[in-house]
């Protein structure tokens, strides 16, 4: 989990308002935390809501990891006996799926 101040700053930047002005209530202690972000409980216009906040640097770290995976995949694909693996294609598909999972905007479309 990351610090409550980080969640507050991210949410305030996204909403353009202070936590206190935007939400009726806000829990600084996250309900849950995973590898990509954490979830805070809040009340908005009288309704209970869950607010997911991505951990700092997750996007940059994922991008760096995939650059390394792409380099490794090119190396694997350059070995004649391993070309059947098509490692570059596998890394590309995996990267696309993980980037969609890490995108909170993509997730919000389904809510």
């Amino acid at each position: 989990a990351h610090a409550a101040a980080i969640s507050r700053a991210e949410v305030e930047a996204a909403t353009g308002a202070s936590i206190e002005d935007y939400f009726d209530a806000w829990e600084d202690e996250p309900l849950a935390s995973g590898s990509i972000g954490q979830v805070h409980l809040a009340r908005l216009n009288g309704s209970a809501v869950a607010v997911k906040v991505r951990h700092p640097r997750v996007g940059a770290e994922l991008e760096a990891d995939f650059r390394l995976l792409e380099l490794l995949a090119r190396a694997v694909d350059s070995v004649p006996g391993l070309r059947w693996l098509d490692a570059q294609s596998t890394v590309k598909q995996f990267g696309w799926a993980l980037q969609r999972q890490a995108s909170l905007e993509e997730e919000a479309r389904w809510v």
Side-chain angles (χ1 to χ4, degrees):
H2 58 257
I6 293 171
S7 287
R8 284 177 163 269
E10 288 293 320
V11 171
E12 288 174 350
T15 62
S18 72
I19 293 288
E20 291 75 19
D21 288 341
Y22 195 82
F23 293 100
D24 303 330
W26 173 268
E27 293 291 328
D28 276 329
E29 186 67 30
L31 172 68
S33 182
S35 58
I36 293 174
Q38 62 190 43
V39 177
H40 292 269
L41 294 179
R43 290 196 79 67
L44 179 64
N45 300 323
S47 296
V49 295
V51 181
K52 190 170 187 179
V53 182
R54 192 172 19 205
H55 293 310
R57 299 177 305 281
V58 164
E61 289 173 0
L62 282 174
E63 187 176 325
D65 288 348
F66 278 105
R67 283 191 201 140
L68 290 172
L69 282 173
E70 287 170 345
L71 286 171
L72 179 60
R74 274 186 283 211
V76 168
D77 286 348
S78 71
V79 176
L82 297 178
R83 286 190 185 133
W84 65 272
L85 290 171
D86 195 12
Q88 291 179 77
S89 178
T90 301
V91 167
K92 188 178 208 177
Q93 290 173 9
F94 177 68
W96 178 82
L98 193 56
Q99 286 174 339
R100 285 189 57 156
Q101 185 179 9
S103 170
L104 299 184
E105 292 83 12
E106 179 72 23
E107 188 172 326
R109 284 184 233 187
W110 298 99
V111 177

